[in-house]
Amino acid sequence: MVSTIISAFVALAVWHRRTSTGGTTLFLLMLAIIEWQLCGAFESMVTGIPAKIFWSKVCYIGSLATPLLLFIFAIQYTKMEKWLTRKNLTSLCTIPAIIFILTLTNEWHNLIWTSYTPAPDALNTIIYGHGPGFWIMIAYNYLILLVATLILLLSGKSSRKIYRQQLELIIVALVFPWAGNILYLLDIGPFPGQDLTIVGFTLTGLILSFNLHQFKFLDLVPMARDLLMEKMNDGIIVIDNKERIVDINPAAQEIFSNKTEKLLGKNIRQLFPELNNTIKRNNLCGNVSGEQEIWKNGLKNTYNINITLLDDKQGNPFGKLILLHNISELKKTEEILRESEEKYRAIVNNTHEMVYIYCGERFLFVNDRICEITGYTREEIDSMKVLDLVHPEEKEKIREIMQRRADCKDAPATLETCIVTKNGEKRQVEIAISSIKYEGQCAALGSARDITERKENENVLVQAKMKAEEADRTKSEFMTTMSHELRTPLNSIIGFSQMLLEVPGSELTNAQNKYASNILKSGENLLQLINDILDISRVEAGKKEVEAEYFDIQKALDDVNMLIHPLASKKNIEVIIDCENANNLLYADIIMFKQVMYNLLNNAIKFTAEKGKISVTAKSEEKEASISVKDNGIGISEDKKEMIFEPFKQIDSAKNRRYEGTGLGLALVKNYVEMHGGNVYVESEEGKGSTFMFTIPQQDISLK
């Protein structure tokens, strides 16, 4: 059982290295040995002959598999897997399979065991008489073990020292089971009938354990040098002291389009006629490197040639190793990069933007445009710091941004600043910065655009805008003042006109009554105009505020309808109000709301023919209320839909126009609705009527 435990520890160590070459096979080999050892232990512990025969038969699983797995491991470890074909493996397993079947059926033919004799001296052991099948098994196992050992020995000859030591320990480990098995077959030993092979495997386990830890067995696996040389993409040529080719790999053959037998023995200078120009003979006493162009099928290829001196253990040179590495693609890439660099350098130097690269506080590269704008030469800029070009008032800000970028913190990618030229002139610039790698170090790429003229133009525009706004405010204030001044005398005119019309008819002539009516009507129209002008002026001046409250939509629309009814009745126009789909309450400025509805209905009546029809529809949705006014009047052409909401703009602006008005009604509608956060829309087709619709949000508003 001790040998089984040792083998189990070795198997566990091998399991952790199973991905190495031959690791899985070696693990299976250790399992086979463990099975052999366990069954041997059970066979020695049981007392009945049938039980001992049973465990002896089970032992044959491990004893037959062990030599076979050892042979497969030797093949894999020495990189000869090409021999492990399915056909060869089947042939190798044929004899062990037959032997195992014969073992299981030995009672029928006695080809494996011919007799079972208890050992003398009261030992719990059976001495087996061996039949011809057993000796065939022994011969077969010894044959494949011998072949495996020879493969390992031959491989160790050409291996490096550490790999040779690994193989030597493996062979030593195999000696002990061999010796134990030979002693068992020759019936030599202290215990008759006792198979000492299992004891030998105990020593094998200890040696393999030492091999795993001391010489990194399975951690360091020898490479097949011949295979490596064959598979290399670089050409390899070995020459002797007389510069004759003694070995060449397929990659080198491909370079010169020749077979090996045609190249072997040739002088290397026959392959390299220009070799004397690249590598002088007196340089061949050491390692030499150079480039060589080789033409093949009309195409030029460039190779990097390394010549390494080969010497023996005593230091005496016996030849040279020539390595040919194709660098044609690298050369093409270098040429493309060189052309690309020249192209982009030309683009950078001819751009209207200032392009620069800096690291820390120093410039690494500047284009010609920087020299042109600042007035400094390239040599002067190379000796300057980045902040030397920045205006003193901007230096602290730029220094902080540069430091944040150097510390990989958030920093603006674009900014505006001011620089100072050599002659002291200030220039406004817009800069974009990004991080790059430049000549192997972290740097920043900056692109600066001179925006001095743009800034000057912007200042001019700002001043012009301020003047226009001031003029607009002055106009609004003037119109407000003028409106107030006009309303006082106008109210007197309207009041006295009303008083004249209230005088009994006998005291005024018909003409006087007509004149008084005209004065009253004109005065009321003028007062309406002044009120509209005053309202629109207050809106534009920002003095009109929304005073929102909850009110009943139906009642507000009825109030407006009552005011507008006399105008509609004069033209026999029917006004229909529909509030079925509207909420009862709306949060808005009720005065503005009524003014909006009055203006829209007044407009609809004005442009609708007699006996026409006007529909008012109020609806409430989730977030807003909408009110529409639809008529079947003259309609609006497509090109005039936008301008009707502008102050003093009318559809018919001719002097002899048919419809009266100032052009302020719809402008007020638009302003009042937008002050509530709503929108105004119009749908119309000339000759078919119009629909004006506005929306008001269904939420509390607080506007100045």
Side-chain angles (χ1 to χ4, degrees):
M1 292 300 290
V2 174
S3 62
T4 304
I5 294 171
I6 293 173
S7 298
F9 276 113
V10 175
L12 183 62
V14 172
W15 170 253
H16 291 300
R17 296 167 175 80
R18 63 188 181 279
T19 55
S20 300
T21 302
T24 302
T25 303
L26 186 59
F27 175 72
L28 294 175
L29 173 62
M30 294 309 302
L31 290 183
I33 292 172
I34 291 170
E35 192 274 344
W36 191 355
Q37 291 171 331
L38 278 175
C39 293
F42 292 148
E43 193 266 346
S44 63
M45 287 188 291
V46 297
T47 56
I49 291 179
K52 286 182 175 293
I53 294 173
F54 169 77
W55 285 112
S56 293
K57 290 181 178 181
V58 179
C59 272
Y60 267 60
I61 297 174
S63 62
L64 289 169
T66 298
L68 186 61
L69 289 170
L70 179 62
F71 177 78
I72 294 173
F73 168 76
I75 294 291
Q76 291 175 337
Y77 192 76
T78 55
K79 300 293 183 180
M80 298 172 62
E81 295 97 330
K82 63 181 180 179
W83 297 105
L84 296 178
T85 62
R86 181 177 297 180
K87 181 180 179 181
N88 290 342
L89 287 173
T90 302
S91 300
L92 285 171
C93 295
T94 301
I95 293 178
I98 293 172
I99 295 297
F100 186 66
I101 293 170
L102 292 175
T103 302
L104 296 177
T105 59
N106 185 70
E107 289 78 2
W108 300 347
H109 45 69
N110 296 323
L111 291 176
I112 302 299
W113 299 308
T114 58
S115 62
Y116 313 98
T117 305
D121 302 326
L123 291 174
N124 188 22
T125 306
I126 293 178
I127 299 174
Y128 293 90
H130 298 124
F134 174 83
W135 295 111
I136 293 173
M137 177 193 72
I138 292 296
Y140 179 77
N141 287 348
Y142 275 39
L143 176 63
I144 59 175
L145 283 173
L146 180 62
V147 173
T149 305
L150 290 174
I151 289 172
L152 293 173
L153 282 172
L154 292 174
S155 175
K157 275 186 161 186
S158 57
S159 298
R160 295 173 62 183
K161 183 178 180 181
I162 189 168
Y163 302 135
R164 190 164 57 251
Q165 289 173 332
Q166 291 177 0
L167 292 171
E168 288 171 353
L169 276 178
I170 293 173
I171 293 169
V172 170
L174 294 176
V175 168
F176 294 101
W178 273 57
N181 192 256
I182 291 171
L183 290 174
Y184 168 70
L185 295 175
L186 297 176
D187 200 15
I188 301 173
F191 308 106
Q194 186 69 44
D195 192 350
L196 299 178
T197 308
I198 297 175
V199 179
F201 276 121
T202 304
L203 298 174
T204 299
L206 291 171
I207 295 171
L208 284 178
S209 180
F210 177 78
N211 202 3
L212 285 168
H213 295 284
Q214 182 66 27
F215 296 108
K216 305 299 180 184
F217 179 51
L218 295 183
D219 290 332
L220 298 174
V221 180
M223 294 292 292
R225 294 191 179 186
D226 290 342
L227 183 62
L228 181 63
M229 186 170 174
E230 293 292 316
K231 297 296 182 181
M232 279 191 68
N233 292 325
D234 291 341
I236 298 176
I237 302 174
V238 181
I239 59 176
D240 60 13
N241 285 331
K242 295 183 179 180
E243 298 184 7
R244 293 175 301 190
I245 298 173
V246 296
D247 199 2
I248 185 168
N249 75 336
Q253 297 172 38
E254 179 66 22
I255 293 172
F256 301 105
S257 300
N258 270 311
K259 295 182 179 179
T260 305
E261 56 269 18
K262 292 184 178 180
L263 294 173
L264 294 178
K266 278 190 176 182
N267 191 289
I268 189 63
R269 299 182 186 275
Q270 292 181 257
L271 296 181
F272 294 104
E274 307 90 350
L275 193 62
N276 285 324
N277 299 328
T278 307
I279 305 163
K280 301 297 183 183
R281 179 180 291 274
N282 58 359
N283 286 335
L284 290 179
C285 59
N287 297 340
V288 178
S289 173
E291 292 183 5
Q292 181 74 47
E293 292 180 354
I294 298 175
W295 290 82
K296 177 184 175 184
N297 300 328
L299 298 176
K300 181 180 73 173
N301 289 286
T302 305
Y303 289 87
N304 186 25
I305 301 177
N306 285 281
I307 300 181
T308 303
L309 194 66
L310 301 176
D311 50 23
D312 55 23
K313 293 181 180 180
Q314 288 74 35
N316 300 317
F318 63 83
K320 303 172 188 70
L321 176 71
I322 301 176
L323 182 66
L324 304 168
H325 179 62
N326 194 333
I327 58 172
S328 301
E329 292 299 322
L330 179 62
K331 285 291 185 181
K332 291 177 183 177
T333 303
E334 289 176 352
E335 181 64 21
I336 292 171
L337 288 175
R338 185 185 61 78
E339 293 176 357
S340 177
E341 183 178 353
E342 291 178 355
K343 178 178 70 174
Y344 285 110
R345 186 177 294 275
I347 292 172
V348 167
N349 282 328
N350 288 285
T351 185
H352 289 291
E353 296 190 358
M354 295 174 279
V355 180
Y356 60 95
I357 299 174
Y358 72 90
C359 180
E361 295 185 348
R362 293 290 181 182
F363 288 105
L364 301 179
F365 168 81
V366 294
N367 71 341
D368 295 340
R369 182 65 172 168
I370 290 184
C371 300
E372 181 183 335
I373 294 291
T374 62
Y376 291 102
T377 64
R378 194 180 297 275
E379 290 72 21
E380 289 174 325
I381 292 177
D382 287 342
S383 63
M384 295 170 65
K385 295 182 178 179
V386 176
L387 293 174
D388 291 341
L389 291 176
V390 180
H391 191 274
E393 296 178 359
E394 296 282 305
K395 281 189 177 182
E396 192 58 37
K397 179 183 77 173
I398 300 302
R399 180 182 288 110
E400 182 181 351
I401 292 173
M402 291 173 63
Q403 186 59 48
R404 291 184 68 84
R405 183 169 289 278
D407 295 340
C408 298
K409 296 180 179 178
D410 289 338
T414 59
L415 65 143
E416 292 183 4
T417 189
C418 180
I419 63 172
V420 182
T421 64
K422 189 175 182 178
N423 59 13
E425 181 185 1
K426 292 193 297 183
R427 307 293 295 180
Q428 296 289 331
V429 293
E430 182 181 60
I431 301 175
I433 307 174
S434 59
S435 299
I436 62 167
K437 281 279 189 180
Y438 183 78
E439 295 181 349
Q441 58 182 326
C442 294
L445 169 66
S447 174
R449 179 181 300 170
D450 189 346
I451 58 171
T452 306
E453 292 183 5
R454 191 185 82 187
K455 283 293 183 182
E456 292 173 352
N457 292 334
E458 286 178 358
N459 289 333
V460 171
L461 290 174
V462 169
Q463 294 297 324
K465 182 175 181 290
M466 292 173 63
K467 289 181 180 179
E469 290 174 348
E470 180 64 26
D472 192 56
R473 280 194 297 271
T474 303
K475 178 204 74 173
S476 298
E477 291 173 1
F478 168 75
M479 293 180 70
T480 302
T481 303
M482 181 191 71
S483 299
H484 280 293
E485 293 298 326
L486 287 174
R487 288 172 97 179
T488 302
L490 189 57
N491 284 329
S492 298
I493 293 171
I494 293 172
F496 283 117
S497 299
Q498 289 174 337
M499 291 174 64
L500 286 172
L501 290 172
E502 291 174 359
V503 174
S506 60
E507 296 184 19
L508 291 176
T509 64
N510 291 334
Q512 290 172 337
N513 191 62
K514 179 181 178 182
Y515 296 152
S517 296
N518 289 340
I519 291 171
L520 178 61
K521 183 179 179 182
S522 297
E524 289 175 342
N525 289 338
L526 184 57
L527 181 61
Q528 180 63 44
L529 172 62
I530 291 170
N531 287 335
D532 288 346
I533 292 174
L534 182 61
D535 286 341
I536 199 111
S537 298
R538 291 175 65 190
V539 170
E540 290 179 351
K543 295 180 180 179
K544 188 79 171 176
E545 295 183 355
V546 174
E547 297 179 1
E549 60 180 297
Y550 285 104
F551 62 87
D552 190 309
I553 296 178
Q554 179 72 57
K555 186 176 183 307
L557 292 176
D558 288 342
D559 291 345
V560 175
N561 189 33
M562 188 180 300
L563 291 173
I564 211 75
H565 181 70
L567 296 176
S569 297
K570 286 182 181 180
K571 299 177 71 173
N572 291 321
I573 294 174
E574 181 184 7
V575 178
I576 302 171
I577 297 176
D578 178 11
C579 295
E580 290 185 5
N581 296 320
N583 293 335
N584 292 330
L585 297 178
L586 178 66
Y587 189 78
D589 189 315
I590 188 169
I591 296 175
M592 289 186 180
F593 178 81
K594 288 181 177 181
Q595 184 67 52
V596 168
M597 291 306 304
Y598 183 87
N599 288 359
L600 291 176
L601 286 169
N602 185 36
N603 223 45
I605 293 170
K606 184 193 304 183
F607 293 104
T608 300
E610 291 189 6
K611 297 182 180 181
K613 182 179 179 182
I614 298 174
S615 300
V616 179
T617 305
K619 295 181 180 180
S620 294
E621 297 179 3
E622 183 180 353
K623 294 184 179 180
E624 61 185 14
S626 64
I627 296 93
S628 64
V629 177
K630 182 179 181 181
D631 63 61
N632 56 358
I634 64 173
I636 305 169
S637 60
E638 192 69 30
D639 60 332
K640 294 183 178 179
K641 285 183 180 179
E642 294 296 328
M643 53 87 69
I644 59 175
F645 292 104
E646 298 177 15
F648 306 106
K649 294 292 180 69
Q650 294 179 301
I651 298 174
D652 184 7
S653 59
K655 290 183 180 180
N656 59 347
R657 62 181 184 268
R658 294 169 53 195
Y659 305 100
E660 296 179 354
T662 61
L664 292 174
L666 291 178
L668 278 172
V669 168
K670 186 173 187 295
N671 280 308
Y672 284 174
V673 170
E674 289 181 350
M675 287 173 70
H676 284 77
N679 292 292
V680 181
Y681 310 94
V682 60
E683 295 177 0
S684 182
E685 188 176 345
E686 198 167 7
K688 294 186 178 181
S690 305
T691 301
F692 285 84
M693 184 178 72
F694 67 92
T695 60
I696 295 179
Q698 289 277 51
Q699 57 186 6
D700 291 353
I701 60 172
S702 178
L703 301 173
K704 292 183 180 180

